[in-house]
Amino acid sequence: MNGKEVDDLPRVMMVVPYFPTPVTGGLERQSHVLSKALVDCGVSVQVLAVRFNASHLAYDIRDEIVIHRIPWSKSKTLRAFQSAIGVAKILTKFRNTYDIVHVHQHSGFGLFALLVCAFLRKPTLIKVPNVAMHGIAAMSNEPLGFLRVALFRLAEAAVAICPQSISELMCIGFARNRVLAVPNGIAVSSGDPLPDRQKTDASTHKSQTNPCRVVFVGRLDVQKRLEDLLRAWSSVWQEMPDAATLEIWGEGPLERSLKLQCRRLAIDSSVRFAGHVHDVRERLHEMDVFVLPSEAEGNSNAMLEAMAAGLPILGTRVGGAEMMVGKEGLPYLVAPGDVDGLARNLKQLVSNSHLRQELGERMRGRIENIFDIRNISKVYLEAYRRLVAGRADSVGFLSSAVVSEYLGP
């Protein structure tokens, strides 16, 4: 890349409170993956985050990304003052080192950054990482929701990662031509071979030598509806004992109650709570089926990683799930709370490794063709250029076809 091309690249300040490491949530991982992809394109990337870990430095450089961290108190009241002062200080002090600010979520931390940028006359892009009561609707219904919406609308443009996000943005008066519809992405190495998970005879579907390994990855909270998964698993276990095991990777407030539910359903011998799992993406290659029964998702990062590992996806028709799995995976999505449908799909995939292998290969193909972060970062880069040039009204024309095709008539 020659000097002129580098000079033409906009310099980006990312605003995301919890920036890895050690946070492994989907929103945080996505901001990290995008930042690294932009750096690979020659873009100067800085991050404004908080010092949520004692090992964090106020100023750090990781993966060629400059990280500014501000204090983060355990006291909610003190934290609000600290974050406001810290955000204003960093954005003002370093205003000559960035051209655009990309806010990755609409918490108070991110919304205050928009306010500061309005005074600094810096163009801003804000992302809506989730939907329904975890998205714009939740923000609108919170105390002083009207004020939060007003701050949100200070952004010149917004990122919607699924059709539902676009609808929610338009409900608060955000102009469609200022909405960049683009899915989350993932780093892809097309040369990585997929494991052969076929364990049955495709014609007879005889019992497999090793049990099918089904995995859930995520936080153990209400949004994920894991109670539904355990009820569905009870049906699978009763009909097909010893044919499969269920692994639950993650931590959260519902862990104890979920373990008690397993005992009540007499399925605890087939369910393993693994807690926090390191190297999730690499470990997914050891699994056979990925399941996510959530009531709300934007673009699940865990689902992207499972698709990249060549796993068939069982999930719910929420957020961007239909867009992510496409027509190939649509039959294996059910409505949130449809325990019978989830159990039926589990039984079908547990009993047929040929189907699992075929569906998993198609999911991997969608990752390579649609969700490669290298291609998605180029869309963001062009959006940044247009915003810096004062052409926010043209950002919507960059929207990804894979999102737009699910908007309907």
Side-chain angles (χ1 to χ4, degrees):
M1 184 176 292
N2 62 47
K4 185 177 186 302
E5 289 174 325
V6 172
D7 290 342
D8 289 341
L9 293 174
R11 300 166 299 172
V12 183
M13 175 71 81
M14 301 289 189
V15 176
V16 52
Y18 303 110
F19 193 76
T21 57
V23 168
T24 56
L27 183 154
E28 292 78 20
R29 295 211 300 277
Q30 190 61 210
S31 66
H32 193 204
V33 167
L34 176 59
S35 296
K36 290 197 294 183
L38 289 168
V39 167
D40 289 341
C41 292
V43 177
S44 169
V45 177
Q46 300 181 70
V47 174
L48 173 54
V50 302
R51 299 177 67 178
F52 62 90
N53 186 285
S55 65
H56 286 153
L57 301 174
Y59 179 87
D60 200 2
I61 300 178
R62 300 286 182 91
D63 300 315
E64 300 182 57
I65 302 165
V66 174
I67 307 172
H68 307 277
R69 297 190 187 276
I70 63 176
W72 195 244
S73 172
K74 293 182 180 179
S75 165
K76 188 174 182 180
T77 301
L78 180 57
R79 189 165 65 226
F81 285 105
Q82 280 184 328
S83 61
I85 294 171
V87 166
K89 180 180 178 180
I90 296 297
L91 290 177
T92 302
K93 180 179 179 180
F94 295 96
R95 62 187 179 277
N96 294 325
T97 67
Y98 62 89
D99 303 305
I100 184 167
V101 174
H102 184 163
V103 179
H104 281 265
Q105 40 93 299
H106 46 77
S107 68
F109 186 88
L111 294 177
F112 188 76
L114 293 180
L115 180 60
V116 174
C117 289
F119 281 104
L120 295 175
R121 296 187 177 181
K122 290 288 186 178
T124 50
L125 177 70
I126 187 168
K127 181 177 182 179
V128 184
N130 213 322
V131 297
M133 295 314 295
H134 302 276
I136 297 294
M139 180 181 70
S140 303
N141 293 328
E142 289 176 356
L144 298 178
F146 70 94
L147 178 59
R148 297 174 71 89
V149 170
L151 290 173
F152 186 100
R153 292 180 60 185
L154 290 174
E156 277 82 2
V159 176
I161 56 177
C162 64
Q164 190 173 343
S165 294
I166 297 175
S167 299
E168 292 181 8
L169 284 165
M170 295 182 72
C171 283
I172 63 170
F174 217 92
R176 177 66 181 86
N177 59 352
R178 291 176 179 245
V179 176
L180 175 65
V182 59
N184 284 343
I186 189 170
V188 177
S189 177
S190 57
D192 290 345
L194 292 179
D196 185 358
R197 299 184 175 93
Q198 192 167 327
K199 300 175 183 175
T200 63
D201 185 306
S203 59
T204 63
H205 308 312
K206 291 181 180 179
S207 299
Q208 38 213 34
T209 304
N210 299 314
C212 172
R213 299 179 68 178
V214 180
V215 64
F216 162 89
V217 181
R219 182 165 169 77
L220 312 188
D221 62 17
V222 174
Q223 177 185 343
K224 304 301 182 180
R225 297 193 69 111
L226 284 163
E227 298 91 342
D228 295 343
L229 173 57
L230 295 181
R231 288 166 56 202
W233 190 254
S234 176
S235 176
V236 174
W237 186 248
Q238 289 176 16
E239 187 173 318
M240 309 168 66
D242 302 320
T245 60
L246 172 62
E247 298 200 12
I248 296 178
W249 297 358
E251 301 172 331
L254 296 185
E255 182 172 348
R256 184 173 180 274
S257 64
L258 292 171
K259 288 180 177 178
L260 289 173
Q261 183 182 3
C262 285
R263 295 191 190 102
R264 289 195 301 269
L265 294 172
I267 57 174
D268 47 315
S269 63
S270 66
V271 180
R272 174 175 173 261
F273 288 83
H276 175 70
V277 174
H278 295 284
D279 303 322
V280 166
R281 187 167 177 182
E282 291 73 19
R283 293 281 305 279
L284 283 171
H285 285 274
E286 304 168 9
M287 301 293 113
D288 298 298
V289 176
F290 175 85
V291 59
L292 186 65
S294 302
E295 67 180 12
E297 293 283 348
N299 287 175
S300 165
N301 203 69
M303 186 181 292
L304 286 174
E305 292 179 339
M307 293 170 66
L311 294 181
I313 306 298
L314 295 182
T316 46
R317 292 190 295 272
V318 296
E322 294 180 57
M323 173 196 73
M324 293 170 72
V325 302
K327 63 180 181 181
E328 305 95 328
L330 190 58
Y332 301 95
L333 300 180
V334 299
D338 184 359
V339 174
D340 291 339
L342 184 58
R344 183 172 57 253
N345 288 339
L346 278 167
K347 292 172 187 176
Q348 183 178 10
L349 288 179
V350 164
S351 65
N352 190 339
S353 65
H354 176 77
L355 177 60
R356 295 198 301 268
Q357 185 79 17
E358 181 181 8
L359 185 56
E361 289 173 356
R362 291 182 177 179
M363 295 300 100
R364 169 64 185 219
R366 287 186 67 78
I367 289 292
E368 294 180 354
N369 295 329
I370 300 172
F371 300 103
D372 189 331
I373 193 63
R374 290 171 295 189
N375 298 327
I376 289 171
S377 65
K378 293 174 184 176
V379 176
Y380 273 106
L381 184 52
E382 180 57 28
Y384 297 154
R385 283 194 176 106
R386 296 190 182 195
L387 287 167
V388 171
R391 299 166 55 205
D393 288 341
S394 69
V395 166
F397 295 108
L398 300 172
S399 294
S400 169
V402 72
V403 179
S404 301
E405 71 176 296
Y406 283 90
L407 290 175

